[in-house]
């Protein structure tokens, strides 16, 4: 299978272009040669077959050959809002969430968060996570790259939302007695889901109450306590299964 590359640029049949530095380095590391095939996508729908035309010392030229109409996205647009897990778990979470089909990730500080990021450091991490998402999209065959939005405080983010979701549903991972199982949505998944998941230790009661006031419905994944980086991925996997059952 030819290597896949994401380009944040217009693409059209027959065009010739010089790849950006990161993409050029990727091609050089793979030791491709003129005439070798690559696949390009820009998140605007489908992908393009292309071939290497020149291997420079620091850049690579390709010729775009044909557009292929395809989509490997979930029929449900799932946006994740996450109390950021500590250490390197956020990297793995972003990678796997991309593979499982998330369309956006909102990193959040909450009362029990261990990881705290502000200012320039927060933006560096966000940029790094965007790169992780791009690499995962290239590897997994996705035709779009999830957007990793700037780090926010949970209360501020919830306060920016309307009291009710206008274009889908809002779910909150919770152990509350009234939390519903994911199977409750079998056969009636909405077109868009915003999934809120807490950090290590979960959300505190005030945060959960605030989320409910913004239209978040409690969702249960069962009696076991899952890690902060496991719970949203398990939910995404469950949604993928429900999408398959609903076809």
């Amino acid at each position: 299978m030819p290597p896949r590359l994401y380009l944040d640029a217009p693409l059209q049949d027959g065009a010739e272009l010089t790849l950006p530095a990161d993409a050029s380095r990727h091609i050089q590391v793979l030791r491709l040669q003129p005439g070798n095939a690559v696949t390009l996508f820009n998140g605007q729908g489908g992908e393009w077959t292309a071939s290497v035309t020149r291997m420079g010392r620091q850049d690579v030229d390709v010729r775009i050959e044909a557009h292929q109409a395809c989509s490997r996205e979930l029929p449900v647009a799932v946006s994740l809002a996450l109390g950021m897990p500590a250490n390197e778990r956020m990297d793995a979470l972003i990678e796997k969430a991309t593979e499982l089909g998330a369309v956006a990730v909102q990193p959040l500080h909450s009362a029990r968060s261990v990881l705290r990021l502000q200012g320039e450091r927060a933006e560096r991490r966000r940029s790094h996570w965007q790169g992780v998402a791009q690499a995962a999209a290239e590897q997994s065959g996705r035709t779009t790259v999830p957007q990793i939005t700037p780090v926010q405080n949970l209360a501020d983010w919830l306060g920016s939302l309307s009291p009710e979701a206008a274009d889908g549903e809002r779910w909150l991972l919770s152990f509350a007695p009234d939390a519903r199982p994911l199977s409750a949505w079998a056969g009636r998944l909405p077109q868009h889901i915003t999934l809120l998941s807490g950090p290590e230790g979960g959300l505190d009661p005030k945060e959960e109450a605030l989320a409910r006031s913004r239209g978040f419905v409690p969702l249960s994944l069962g009696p076991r306590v899952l890690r902060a980086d496991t719970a949203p991925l398990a939910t995404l996997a469950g949604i993928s299964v429900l999408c398959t059952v609903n076809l």
Side-chain angles (χ1 to χ4, degrees):
M1 178 181 293
R4 301 180 76 252
L5 298 172
Y6 170 77
L7 297 184
D8 184 14
L11 301 175
Q12 61 182 14
D13 297 356
E16 297 190 16
L17 69 154
T18 299
L19 296 177
D22 288 348
S24 292
R25 277 196 299 272
H26 185 65
I27 294 298
Q28 290 166 334
V29 168
L30 293 175
R31 300 184 182 276
L32 297 189
Q33 298 299 318
N36 288 157
V38 295
T39 300
L40 308 177
F41 68 105
N42 63 359
Q44 302 302 310
E47 57 192 20
W48 282 260
T49 57
S51 60
V52 176
T53 58
R54 183 185 66 87
M55 294 288 294
R57 301 185 72 174
Q58 296 186 340
D59 54 23
V60 174
D61 292 349
V62 298
R63 178 185 296 110
I64 301 175
E65 295 167 351
H67 179 257
Q68 307 290 328
C70 64
S71 176
R72 303 179 186 97
E73 304 302 305
L74 288 177
V76 176
V78 184
S79 298
L80 300 181
L82 305 169
M84 296 177 290
N87 302 319
E88 300 304 316
R89 288 178 177 164
M90 188 67 171
D91 284 25
L93 200 166
I94 295 288
E95 179 183 77
K96 302 311 177 188
T98 299
E99 293 176 13
L100 289 168
V103 299
V105 177
Q106 171 63 68
L108 296 168
H109 291 140
S110 64
R112 294 171 177 164
S113 291
V114 175
L115 180 61
R116 299 282 178 175
L117 298 172
Q118 293 183 341
E120 184 178 342
R121 182 166 174 248
E123 177 51 30
R124 285 199 305 269
R125 294 307 295 170
R126 187 210 64 79
S127 179
H128 167 74
W129 292 329
Q130 189 66 64
V132 171
Q134 178 178 319
E138 291 172 342
Q139 180 275 327
S140 63
R142 288 193 60 178
T143 52
T144 63
V145 177
Q147 180 185 13
I148 314 301
T149 52
V151 177
Q152 290 194 57
N153 177 272
L154 172 62
D156 292 341
W157 177 73
L158 287 172
S160 71
L161 302 179
S162 62
E164 296 182 0
D167 59 347
E169 294 187 12
R170 296 170 181 168
W171 296 353
L172 164 68
L173 290 178
S174 172
F175 281 104
D178 61 340
R180 304 171 65 189
L182 186 57
S183 59
W185 282 269
R188 63 174 197 87
L189 282 172
Q191 291 188 329
H192 186 273
I193 298 167
T194 300
L195 175 67
L196 174 58
S197 181
E200 295 88 346
L203 302 180
D204 72 16
K206 291 182 179 179
E207 291 171 332
E208 185 158 335
L210 180 57
R212 287 179 181 240
S213 75
R214 287 296 184 268
F216 282 85
V217 176
L219 168 70
S220 170
L221 295 180
R224 292 179 300 281
V225 178
L226 303 183
R227 289 185 179 271
D229 52 322
T230 303
L233 298 179
T235 309
L236 270 172
I239 291 170
S240 296
V241 172
L242 289 182
C243 288
T244 301
V245 171
N246 291 343
L247 288 178

